[in-house]
């Protein structure tokens, strides 16, 4: 089976505390209405892409522990191929959503996918973060991301990897774009990055997203009428939908529109996995908004 997308960043177990009336202050205890467990990180991207019809795999190793067993069971049920190696511990994140935003605390043993792990799937494309680009074979289509810590490191003078010059796209949020470039204005930051990456996609939260390529920039608005319950993983599902539509041949602008729609629809419920749309659900929502489903012929 041809693998369309390998996710090479770690998959986490997200423990989501639902229904907090406020975030706890130092020394304070707050009670949640519910506690939900779901895959996070690259697990969210893999599940989101699989629900959109891509053949996906996780390359980053999972732990030989209860958390790893849980993530494996969910990935298998979603049709995601499992990583070839097992390690001792699985990353875990506690997620505290409140008032449309969230706080998080993470344990990450920093186990990494190797190039051999990725090559074992012979994928069309790989999604991974800036510090893990060495695991991506040179001829494979690369979608790169940046976490907050990586963006801060580059803000302190660390140069961007040369491999980005041949990437398909760099996907970042507005804060990361500013940190990576030292530029306050988001469009200027996108253009600065576009001097080193063929395409730069910047998410703008509820305000939509933009894409810069060379001297051109395209911006699309956010999706109206969405009440955010839990924004955790919205960026992961944005990435999944962007890659799905790009691999299906959509225009850059339509890729943004599909990705913004997938991300917006996901935040209406607790946990990203619960909010991840199937291809039929996302297609129906897109058609209602005048979007043509990429890869589908009309009669």
């Amino acid at each position: 089976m041809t693998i369309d997308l390998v996710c090479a960043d770690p998959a986490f177990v997200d423990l989501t505390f639902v229904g907090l009336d406020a975030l706890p202050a130092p020394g304070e205890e707050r009670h949640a209405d519910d506690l939900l467990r779901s895959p996070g990180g690259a697990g969210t991207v893999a599940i989101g892409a699989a629900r959109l019809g891509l053949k996906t795999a996780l390359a980053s190793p999972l732990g030989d522990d209860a958390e790893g067993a849980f993530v494996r069971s969910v990935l298998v049920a979603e049709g995601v191929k499992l990583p070839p190696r097992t390690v001792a511990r699985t990353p875990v994140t506690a997620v505290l959503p409140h008032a449309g935003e969230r706080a998080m605390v993470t344990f990450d043993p920093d186990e990494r996918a190797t190039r051999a792990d990725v090559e074992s799937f012979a994928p069309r494309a790989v999604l991974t973060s800036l510090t893990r680009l060495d695991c991506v074979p040179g001829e494979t289509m690369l979608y790169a991301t940046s976490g907050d810590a990586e963006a801060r490191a580059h803000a302190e003078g660390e140069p961007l990897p040369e491999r980005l010059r041949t990437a398909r796209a760099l996907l970042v949020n507005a804060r990361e774009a500013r940190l990576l470039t030292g530029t306050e204005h988001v469009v200027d930051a996108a253009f600065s990055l576009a001097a080193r990456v063929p395409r730069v996609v910047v998410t703008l939260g509820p305000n939509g997203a933009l894409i810069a390529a060379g001297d051109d920039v395209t911006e699309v608005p956010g999706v109206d009428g969405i009440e955010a319950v839990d924004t955790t993983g919205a960026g992961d599902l944005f990435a999944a939908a962007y890659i799905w539509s790009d691999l299906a041949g959509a225009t850059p602008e339509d890729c943004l529109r599909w990705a913004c729609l997938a991300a917006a629809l996901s935040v209406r419920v607790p946990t990203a996995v619960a909010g991840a749309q199937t291809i039929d659900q996302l297609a129906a929502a897109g058609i209602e908004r005048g979007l043509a489903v990429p890869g589908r012929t009309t009669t």
Side-chain angles (χ1 to χ4, degrees), residues 76-103:
V76 167
E78 296 282 350
V80 177
K81 294 294 183 182
L82 297 178
R85 292 188 297 119
T86 299
V87 292
R89 302 285 299 276
T90 301
V92 177
T93 296
V95 183
L96 289 77
H98 174 64
E101 260 301 338
R102 81 280 193 213

Side-chain angles (χ1 to χ4, degrees), residues 166-251:
T166 58
R168 178 66 173 177
L170 171 66
L171 290 80
V172 294
N173 62 32
R175 171 179 165 80
E176 292 159 355
R178 293 186 184 104
L179 284 171
L180 286 169
T181 60
T183 304
E184 185 58 31
H185 193 273
V186 173
V187 173
D188 291 340
F191 276 132
S192 177
L193 290 169
R196 289 166 281 181
V197 190
R199 292 183 184 179
V200 177
V201 178
V202 183
T203 60
L204 307 173
N207 297 318
L210 63 83
I211 184 167
D215 296 327
D216 297 323
V217 64
T218 300
E219 186 170 349
V220 303
V223 179
D224 293 333
I226 301 294
E227 182 177 350
V229 173
D230 181 7
T231 60
T232 308
D236 295 324
L237 295 175
F238 178 101
Y242 181 89
I243 294 169
W244 159 73
S245 53
D246 191 36
L247 291 178
T251 66

Side-chain angles (χ1 to χ4, degrees), residues 6 8-9 126-130 132-133 135-136 142-146:
V6 160
D9 285 340
V126 176
L127 175 71
T128 194
S129 53
L130 293 178
R132 297 179 172 89
L133 298 186
C135 75
V136 183
L142 166 64
Y143 295 89
T145 64
S146 172

Side-chain angles (χ1 to χ4, degrees), residues 118-129:
V118 173
E119 288 177 334
S120 69
F121 295 108
R124 293 174 62 194
V126 176
L127 175 71
T128 194
S129 53

Side-chain angles (χ1 to χ4, degrees), residues 245-283:
S245 53
D246 191 36
L247 291 178
T251 66
E253 180 176 343
D254 278 353
C255 288
L256 289 186
R257 293 188 183 279
W258 282 110
C260 285
L261 180 58
L265 295 176
S266 76
V267 305
R268 301 174 298 174
V269 294
T271 82
V273 169
Q277 306 290 292
T278 66
I279 181 59
D280 290 338
Q281 291 169 332
L282 185 61

